[in-house]
């Protein structure tokens, strides 16, 4: 056969294979498509329940009672997001390897060691009867979907050749605790700071640890025993977050509320935009629930009943992260047998147990876990072998976390959904524990309010660092009472806002030190003070605001560093002029944002990399707010020793490092973007791609499951958050996971926008159909009146008794 004939034959075979693959995938996707119209006979509900879907797939549940409403919510969650629910459940319980094999074994070992499933098993019986009844109703709805749809619950399960597993009420409680763990940020700095103190001593380290005052009489020498401690735990958790699509670290939010004195209508208005990983599917699922006892609207988390952020006919509430330091590590001293630990001079026996992890296509893995009176030992999560690579073979690391304390956030959410007065709101919020939250509130009577809801440990107040476990006084001695946490009602300023800042100047006790820079709260406060004629359009503009004051101090010193300096490089001259004229807006089409962010990246490297090295540098900058705050604070000291490059003979100061960093930035931009400064637009590097957890496994599949890239404005310190990782610039990983606005003068709807869509099925039109709204700054009007819903012409699926 001639060469041309062979090529044609090969081409024909490839085309046939591709067509066959498309046919199989299309058939598989269609079999898992949600059903939005018709009737389903359902003997598991008490009365008929109607599920409407609008043009964006938002669900409107109209039921005769709250249990049927919870059932229906479970049904639509499973129909649209079953794989997401199952993935989170398996991750939290340490069962990913049953589905993915050895690839996820380390993640399972980590979560078996953390013990979320053990927490649920030990505490589910303590939940109140009402919560259990709602969880059981929700669970029946999930399982009814699985029953109706057979084994076609989600396309991902087909690709993995997995059969869907029934839901249990305990799984919803597990999802709730899992979200608490994923939003647990404080411990990341503990490990980084301990390593820096070990290398440079506490006084030098304190210069790059924001808000850290070393205890004058405190001995940090015990940290020397464990120079490598916690590294396995850190790296495994980081890899897990990349695997599941929960990347980034700037998990914050903005929320604010204004009373009638600040609005055109004379009624309160409230807004929220939680900053979370931007993934597909979205973390949130939007729903309007109408029943006699449970009438609420807003965003839910697939896997659990309850509207997390939203409104009922009387009140509206929103959240931001309080940024509580709710997790501590303790260096524990073991005896030579490895079975006892030193607790204040008394040798206590470790609580030991084994656990078996099933691994697809491989042998079961048995792990041994030890627990102290503080929590599990997490030093070497791959085995219970404390001696591998350790400086001191008798030292290990245990972990205490508020998530191990009993709490019932599901009940608190349901109470909040039904609250009708400020007193009921305050009482409902008392049930929130992990993670700690700032709640902002408004009601139809015109009241606005704020409160902090969290479990804040009572501990020795000497700063944010790993503790010496053998000193029993270092253990937590309880928690501050909810009544002692900050609350504000109807302030004279007529508005309240929070943005992961230190919400109270002086709490009176240690809360944490991972606050976000003041840039977002400063900008929000400025814009709210600017107007006494606030409208929904004004609030929408605020949510899309891209001005930040974080660069102001840094740019001021940068420009000063070039004074009296002769410049011959045209791009350098033009860059300085750009920064002089910059209004600190992070618009995607402008050059100054790109120039500044590259400069900031180079500045961090030039200050820290020579001392820390790449590994410790990565640990330090993981929480993006830490280096941002450090840079601003460090600018005040021109001759700080951190500016000096240890690899050069000269002694560098602030000005020299600032100049070098700008020149390095120009070299980077000329090499990677363009030689022409006119082409240095921010969007050239700053982009957003929404990724499915399967992203990166197969390029052809990525075309179906990922959405983007999109050119995007903003940055991690702007109200319109579009945060990136310092170690993986400049792709957006964290941002506004949704935008919510409720105006009490128009109680018949709320305004909403969300990246992605309602459905988790990547062949469904509602997988990404909200993306145009989100990127083009448009909002969806979500109707709340039952007559508007029933007469809307929405698609209708009836669950018929």
């Amino acid at each position: 056969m001639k060469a041309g004939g062979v090529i044609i034959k090969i081409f024909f075979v490839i085309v046939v294979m591709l067509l066959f693959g498309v046919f199989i995938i299309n058939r598989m996707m269609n079999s898992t498509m949600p059903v939005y119209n018709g009737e389903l006979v359902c003997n598991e509900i008490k009365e008929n329940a109607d599920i409407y879907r609008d043009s964006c797939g938002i669900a409107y549940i109209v039921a005769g009672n709250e249990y049927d409403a919870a059932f229906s919510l479970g049904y639509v969650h499973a129909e649209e997001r079953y794989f997401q629910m199952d993935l989170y459940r398996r991750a939290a319980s340490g069962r990913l390897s049953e589905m993915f094999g050895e690839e996820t074994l380390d993640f399972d070992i980590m979560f078996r060691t953390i013990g979320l499933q053990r927490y649920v098993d030990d505490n589910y019986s303590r939940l109140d009867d009402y919560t259990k009844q709602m969880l059981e109703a929700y669970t029946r709805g999930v399982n009814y979907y699985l029953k109706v749809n057979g084994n076609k619950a989600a396309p991902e399960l087909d690709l993995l050749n997995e059969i869907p597993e029934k839901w249990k009420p305990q799984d919803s409680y597990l999802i709730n605790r899992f979200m608490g763990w994923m939003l647990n940020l404080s411990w990341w700095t503990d490990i980084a700071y301990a390593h820096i103190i070990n290398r440079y001593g506490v006084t030098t380290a304190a210069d790059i640890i924001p808000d850290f005052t070393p205890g004058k009489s405190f001995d940090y020498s015990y940290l020397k025993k464990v120079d490598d401690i916690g590294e396995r735990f850190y790296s495994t958790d980081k890899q897990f977050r990349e695997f599941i699509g929960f990347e980034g670290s700037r998990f914050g939010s903005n929320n604010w509320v204004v009373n009638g004195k600040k609005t055109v209508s004379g009624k309160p208005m409230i807004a929220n935009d939680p900053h979370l990983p931007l993934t597909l599917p979205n973390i949130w699922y939007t729903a309007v629930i109408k029943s006699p006892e449970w009438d609420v609207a807003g965003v839910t988390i697939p896997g659990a009943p309850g509207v997390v952020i939203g409104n009922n006919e009387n009140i509206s509430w929103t959240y931001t992260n309080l940024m509580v330091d709710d997790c501590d590590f303790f260096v524990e001293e073991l005896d030579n047998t490895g079975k006892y630990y030193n607790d204040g001079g008394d040798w206590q026996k470790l609580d030991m147990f084994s656990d078996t992890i099933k691994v697809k296509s491989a042998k079961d893995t048995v792990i041994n876990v030890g627990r102290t009176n503080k929590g599990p030992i997490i030093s070497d999560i791959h085995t219970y072998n404390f001696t591998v690579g350790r400086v001191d073979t008798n030292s290990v690391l245990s972990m205490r976390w508020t998530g191990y304390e009993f709490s019932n956030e599901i009940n608190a959410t349901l109470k909040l959904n039904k609250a009708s007065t400020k007193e009921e709101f305050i009482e409902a919020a008392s049930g929130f524990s992990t993670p700690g939250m700032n709640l902002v509130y408004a009601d139809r009577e015109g009241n606005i309010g704020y409160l902090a809801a969290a479990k804040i440990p009572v501990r020795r107040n000497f700063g944010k660092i790993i503790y010496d476990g053998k000193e029993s006084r270092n253990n937590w001695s309880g928690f501050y009472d909810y009544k002692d946490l900050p609350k504000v009602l109807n302030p004279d300023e007529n508005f309240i806002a929070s943005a992961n800042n230190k919400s109270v100047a002086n709490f009176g006790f240690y809360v944490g030190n991972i606050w976000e820079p003041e840039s977002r709260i400063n900008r929000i406060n400025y814009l709210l003070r600017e107007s006494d004629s606030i409208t929904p359009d004004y609030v929408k503009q605020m949510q899309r605001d891209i001005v930040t004051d974080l660069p102001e101090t840094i740019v001021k010193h940068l420009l000063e560093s070039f004074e009296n300096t002769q410049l011959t490089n045209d791009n350098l001259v033009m860059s300085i002029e750009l920064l002089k004229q910059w209004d600190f807006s992070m618009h995607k089409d402008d050059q100054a944002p790109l120039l500044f962010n590259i400069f900031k990246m180079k500045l961090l490297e030039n200050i820290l990399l020579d001392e820390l090295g790449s590994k410790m540098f990565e640990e330090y900058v993981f929480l993006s707010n830490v280096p941002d705050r450090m840079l601003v604070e460090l600018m005040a000291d021109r001759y700080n020793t951190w500016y000096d490059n240890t690899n050069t003979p000269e002694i560098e100061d602030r000005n020299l490092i600032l100049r070098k960093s700008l020149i390095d930035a120009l070299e980077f931009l000329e090499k990677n973007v363009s030689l022409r400064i006119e082409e240095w637009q921010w969007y050239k590097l700053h982009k957003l791609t929404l990724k499915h957890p399967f992203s990166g496994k197969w390029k052809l599949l990525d075309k179906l499951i990922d959405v983007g890239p999109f050119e995007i404005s903003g940055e991690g310190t702007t109200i319109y958050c579009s945060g990136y990782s310092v170690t993986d610039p400049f792709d957006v990983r964290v941002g506004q996971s949704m935008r919510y606005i409720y105006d009490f003068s128009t109680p018949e709807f709320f305004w909403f926008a969300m990246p992605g869509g309602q459905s988790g099925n990547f062949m469904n039109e509602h997988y990404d159909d909200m993306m145009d709204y989100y990127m083009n700054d448009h909002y969806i009007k979500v109707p709340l009146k039952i007559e508007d819903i029933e007469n809307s012409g929405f698609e209708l699926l009836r669950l018929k008794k």
Side-chain angles (χ1 to χ4, degrees):
M1 185 181 289
K2 293 182 179 180
V6 173
I7 292 172
I8 291 172
K9 186 174 181 180
I10 292 172
F11 176 76
F12 177 77
V13 171
I14 291 172
V15 169
V16 169
M17 289 176 64
L18 286 173
L19 289 174
F20 180 74
V22 170
F23 169 76
I24 293 298
I25 290 175
N26 186 60
R27 189 176 70 171
M28 181 173 59
M29 300 307 130
N30 287 331
S31 69
T32 61
M33 281 291 193
V35 176
Y36 296 147
N37 292 289
E39 288 186 352
L40 290 175
V41 176
C42 180
N43 295 324
E44 299 183 46
I45 54 177
K46 298 177 182 179
E47 306 173 62
N48 292 346
D50 291 338
I51 303 171
Y52 296 87
R53 273 18 180 270
D54 66 14
S55 60
C56 289
I58 293 174
Y60 303 81
I61 294 168
V62 180
N65 60 81
E66 63 182 329
Y67 298 107
D68 287 352
F71 178 97
S72 301
L73 183 63
Y75 178 87
V76 297
H77 276 173
E79 186 177 36
E80 301 283 16
R81 303 288 189 88
Y82 178 78
F83 180 71
Q84 181 184 36
M85 294 162 59
D86 189 42
L87 188 66
Y88 288 178
R89 166 177 62 175
R90 287 178 180 272
S93 58
R95 295 178 52 224
L96 286 171
S97 298
E98 296 175 13
M99 182 182 288
F100 295 101
E102 292 181 297
E103 176 189 359
T104 57
L105 182 56
D106 279 352
F107 307 151
D108 285 345
I109 293 172
M110 180 181 72
F111 276 104
R112 296 289 179 99
T113 302
I114 293 171
L116 300 186
Q117 185 66 62
R118 283 195 304 277
Y119 167 86
V120 169
D121 293 342
D122 291 343
N123 289 284
Y124 184 80
S125 62
R126 300 174 65 182
L127 299 181
D128 60 284
D129 290 341
Y130 172 69
T131 300
K132 289 179 183 176
Q133 289 166 7
M134 290 292 277
L135 288 175
E136 287 162 3
Y138 177 88
T139 296
R140 289 197 305 273
V142 174
N143 291 332
Y144 176 69
Y145 168 73
L146 298 180
K147 176 183 175 182
V148 168
N149 216 42
N151 290 335
K152 300 296 183 182
E156 293 91 345
L157 294 181
D158 280 349
L159 290 171
L160 292 167
N161 195 29
E162 291 287 333
I163 296 173
E165 181 181 300
K166 283 189 174 182
W167 199 256
K168 300 187 297 294
Q170 291 87 343
D171 294 335
S172 295
Y173 195 31
L174 180 65
I175 293 289
N176 178 268
R177 196 63 23 161
F178 175 70
M179 286 299 174
W181 173 258
M182 297 304 286
L183 296 174
N184 170 19
L185 302 177
S186 63
W187 67 266
W188 288 86
T189 57
D190 294 1
I191 293 171
Y193 294 167
H195 289 163
I196 295 170
I197 288 173
N198 274 340
R199 183 174 295 183
Y200 293 104
V202 67
T203 302
T204 301
D207 286 343
I208 61 168
I209 301 177
D211 290 341
F212 179 67
T213 303
K216 293 181 180 178
S217 61
F218 191 76
D219 181 9
Y220 292 90
S221 62
Y222 66 93
L223 291 175
K224 292 290 184 183
K225 300 178 181 179
V226 285
D227 189 49
D228 62 342
I229 210 160
E231 290 181 4
R232 177 81 177 193
F233 188 71
Y234 162 87
S235 61
T236 302
D237 192 77
K238 187 173 183 292
Q239 290 164 18
F240 166 74
R241 290 168 185 266
E242 293 168 358
F243 170 82
I244 208 166
F246 222 93
E247 294 181 75
S249 64
R250 209 149 213 158
F251 301 161
S253 303
N254 305 309
N255 67 359
W256 61 84
V257 63
V258 294
N259 66 19
K261 294 179 180 179
K262 296 286 290 181
T263 62
V264 170
S265 69
K267 298 288 186 180
M269 199 180 307
I270 191 168
N272 196 188
D273 53 286
H275 305 162
L276 293 169
L278 299 179
T279 63
L280 285 172
N282 196 288
I283 289 169
W284 305 111
Y285 181 85
T286 313
V288 177
I289 301 168
K290 314 293 288 187
S291 75
E293 313 94 332
W294 190 29
D295 189 345
V296 66
V299 291
T300 65
I301 291 179
V307 169
V308 180
I309 295 165
N311 60 272
N312 59 35
E313 64 180 358
N314 296 300
I315 73 167
S316 179
W317 66 94
T318 62
Y319 296 95
T320 66
N321 196 328
L322 182 58
M323 312 304 275
V324 176
D325 181 359
D326 56 5
C327 185
D328 280 337
F329 294 131
F330 297 84
V331 178
E332 306 285 4
E333 179 185 354
L334 302 181
D335 73 345
N336 290 331
T337 69
K339 296 179 179 179
Y340 293 83
Y341 66 98
N342 187 345
D343 183 33
D346 294 328
W347 290 93
Q348 304 289 334
K349 190 171 184 179
L350 285 169
D351 179 15
M352 299 283 297
F353 57 90
S354 62
D355 208 348
T356 301
I357 301 171
K358 294 187 178 299
V359 184
K360 187 175 185 178
S361 303
K363 292 182 179 179
D364 293 352
T365 294
V366 178
I367 64 169
N368 297 299
V369 180
R371 291 178 64 90
T372 71
N373 60 357
K374 306 174 191 72
I377 291 172
I378 52 84
S379 311
D380 294 296
I381 57 173
H382 53 312
T383 62
Y384 191 64
N385 178 0
F386 299 137
T387 61
V388 177
R390 189 157 311 291
V391 175
D392 183 337
T393 59
N394 290 92
S395 295
V396 296
L397 201 66
S398 68
M399 180 179 76
R400 186 163 187 184
W401 173 44
T402 59
Y404 294 138
E405 306 295 325
F406 174 74
S407 60
N408 185 357
E409 283 80 6
I410 293 174
N411 178 267
T413 298
L414 293 170
K415 280 185 175 180
L416 206 54
N417 290 182
K418 295 182 175 184
S420 59
T421 66
K422 60 181 181 293
E423 290 79 16
E424 289 177 353
F425 163 75
I426 293 170
E427 194 280 326
S430 67
F432 290 100
S433 169
T434 303
M437 292 291 180
N438 298 301
L439 275 78
V440 165
Y441 149 94
D443 65 31
R444 65 190 301 181
E445 301 302 320
N447 297 301
I448 63 172
Y450 160 87
L451 57 82
K455 233 181 222 327
I456 301 176
V458 178
R459 48 159 75 90
R460 288 183 71 202
N461 191 5
F462 54 79
K464 180 76 170 61
I465 202 66
I466 292 174
Y467 293 76
D468 187 352
K470 73 175 182 294
E471 295 286 340
S472 55
R473 61 180 179 164
N474 288 340
N475 200 354
W476 301 351
S477 57
F479 301 92
Y480 292 101
D481 198 291
Y482 173 65
K483 66 179 176 59
D484 296 326
L485 303 186
K487 295 178 182 63
V488 177
L489 183 65
N490 296 326
D492 293 338
E493 202 163 19
N494 301 314
F495 72 84
I496 304 170
S498 71
N500 318 113
N501 55 301
K502 192 174 184 180
S503 53
V504 176
N506 183 12
F507 280 88
F509 44 82
Y510 176 69
V511 174
N513 76 339
I514 57 167
W515 317 108
E516 280 287 322
E518 297 285 313
S519 54
R520 283 189 287 117
I521 193 63
N522 289 346
R523 185 64 177 170
I524 292 168
N525 287 339
Y526 168 78
L527 292 172
L528 291 177
R529 291 186 182 116
E530 276 290 285
S531 177
D532 289 330
S533 303
I534 292 174
T535 64
D537 284 343
Y538 187 85
V539 173
K540 291 174 187 177
Q541 291 172 11
M542 285 184 63
Q543 287 187 331
R544 306 192 303 269
D545 189 85
I546 53 174
V547 175
T548 172
D549 65 10
L550 179 85
E552 192 168 352
T553 299
I554 301 171
V555 169
K556 172 179 172 289
H557 286 293
L558 172 62
L559 296 176
E560 288 174 353
S561 74
F562 278 97
E563 290 179 357
N564 304 317
T565 302
Q566 187 173 1
L567 305 177
T568 57
N569 182 288
D570 289 344
N571 277 348
L572 181 56
V573 172
M574 292 175 67
S575 294
I576 291 173
E577 191 59 33
L578 268 176
L579 293 174
K580 281 181 181 178
Q581 298 176 10
W582 188 28
D583 63 357
F584 306 120
S585 169
M586 294 283 182
H587 196 284
K588 65 184 179 67
D589 294 328
D590 292 345
Q591 295 105 317
L594 179 60
L595 175 62
F596 175 78
N597 279 280
I598 299 292
F599 159 74
K600 187 175 75 168
M601 179 181 73
K602 294 299 181 181
L603 181 61
L604 284 170
E605 292 173 355
N606 287 332
I607 292 173
L608 299 173
L609 262 178
D610 58 312
E611 284 96 349
L612 299 185
S614 58
K615 188 175 181 180
M616 201 179 297
F617 176 79
E618 181 178 328
E619 290 177 354
Y620 175 80
V621 300
F622 179 80
L623 284 185
S624 305
N625 57 18
V626 170
D628 277 347
R629 289 165 57 208
M630 179 276 292
L631 281 178
V632 174
E633 292 177 12
L634 202 64
M635 286 293 111
D637 183 0
R638 177 174 176 176
Y639 299 102
N640 193 284
T641 56
W642 283 96
Y643 292 124
D644 180 42
N645 187 337
T646 58
N647 298 317
T648 64
E650 61 183 311
I651 298 177
E652 290 85 357
D653 65 1
R654 182 191 63 206
N655 287 358
L656 198 155
I657 288 298
L658 286 169
R659 291 196 299 270
K660 173 176 168 46
S661 298
L662 185 61
I663 292 168
D664 288 348
L666 265 59
E667 290 177 356
F668 177 94
L669 288 165
E670 289 167 352
K671 179 179 179 181
N672 294 282
V673 180
S674 173
L675 291 173
R676 301 177 65 244
I677 198 168
E678 294 86 352
E679 297 178 357
W680 290 359
Q681 286 76 29
W682 183 210
Y683 74 79
K684 295 284 179 66
L685 296 183
H686 190 57
K687 299 180 187 293
L688 166 64
T689 298
L690 301 185
K691 295 183 179 181
H692 184 279
F694 282 6
S695 180
K697 306 295 183 186
W698 185 31
K699 286 187 177 180
L700 287 176
L701 185 60
D702 288 352
K703 300 293 184 182
L704 285 174
I705 62 178
D706 293 347
V707 177
F710 299 94
E711 301 166 359
I712 190 166
S713 296
E715 194 258 353
T717 64
T718 55
I719 297 176
Y720 181 58
C721 177
S722 53
Y724 62 85
S725 169
V726 174
T727 56
D728 186 23
F730 292 93
D731 290 339
V732 176
R733 291 288 180 263
V734 174
Q736 294 178 326
S737 59
M738 67 89 173
R739 302 184 196 119
Y740 167 86
I741 302 170
Y742 184 65
D743 181 356
F744 279 81
S745 71
T746 54
E748 65 271 16
F749 63 86
F750 68 83
W751 297 101
F752 181 74
M754 181 174 81
Q758 286 280 89
S759 181
N761 189 317
F762 44 85
M763 295 296 286
N764 190 316
E765 63 177 317
H766 300 311
Y767 183 64
D768 62 354
D769 60 338
M770 292 191 193
M771 204 62 203
D772 285 342
Y773 288 93
Y774 183 81
M775 293 307 303
N776 293 310
D777 300 331
H778 296 154
Y779 286 70
I780 300 163
K781 217 185 234 189
V782 181
L784 301 176
K785 298 297 183 184
I786 193 165
E787 57 270 22
D788 293 339
I789 296 168
E790 292 177 335
N791 298 321
S792 61
F794 294 162
E795 295 180 279
L796 170 61
L797 176 68
R798 174 161 291 169
L799 302 182
K800 191 172 183 180
K801 175 64 178 175

